[in-house]
Amino acid sequence: MSARPIYHIAPSSEIRSGVRNRVYTPARFAEHGFVHCAAGRETVIAVANDYYATVAEPVMLLEIDTHRLTAPWRFEPAAPIHGGGTGHLETADEFPHVYGPVNLDSIIGIGTLGPGDGSFGWPSGFVDIDAFLRAASD
């Protein structure tokens, strides 16, 4: 499988509430059956703009090392979520889907998707997931 990282986007509060027993499970995991991810900056930004443009809290980007994932994952055709935009469908034919919770030791960084010119921008940096979680509890 690919050596490049894959990325998962979620509001800050969803990431914090989804971490239990050293794994992260998104709020809609049971409904969708997998963790939605994206590969590459252009696609990540397009997904963020399509689905998170109206979110008032910080929107976070998990950088995931697929070699460290304990759950199976694969690239598959897009599985758009109802109510989202379609701009991201122009950036990729397939998206990575993780078929289980994301073990925290596969998350090599977490960053905030910054505001850009009417859209999101790539994080200015990434921090350790444990540092992010500790900061939330301080």
Side-chain angles (χ1 to χ4, degrees):
M1 301 239 167
S2 173
R4 294 181 338 199
I6 60 174
Y7 301 93
H8 173 73
I9 306 163
S12 179
S13 63
E14 182 177 322
I15 292 174
R16 287 187 182 101
S17 66
V19 173
R20 299 281 183 271
N21 301 318
R22 301 295 300 158
V23 297
Y24 164 68
T25 306
R28 295 183 186 158
F29 180 79
E31 178 185 345
H32 297 165
F34 59 87
V35 179
H36 291 266
C37 293
R41 287 182 181 214
E42 180 184 17
T43 302
V44 165
I45 298 302
V47 170
N49 290 333
D50 280 351
Y51 290 102
Y52 298 95
T54 61
V55 173
E57 68 180 285
V59 176
M60 309 306 295
L61 183 63
L62 296 178
E63 185 176 32
I64 301 167
D65 180 340
T66 57
H67 293 296
R68 296 181 187 180
L69 272 172
T70 56
W73 72 280
R74 60 184 172 267
F75 277 91
E76 298 178 310
I81 299 169
H82 178 72
T86 59
H88 67 287
L89 301 176
E90 297 173 16
T91 65
D93 293 327
E94 293 188 317
F95 291 79
H97 297 152
V98 179
Y99 284 88
V102 176
N103 51 301
L104 291 193
D105 62 346
S106 71
I107 300 171
I108 54 179
I110 182 170
T112 304
L113 286 166
D117 294 331
S119 68
F120 285 99
W122 194 254
S124 59
F126 289 85
V127 299
D128 179 80
I129 186 68
D130 289 321
F132 168 79
L133 295 170
R134 274 193 308 274
S137 64
D138 291 344

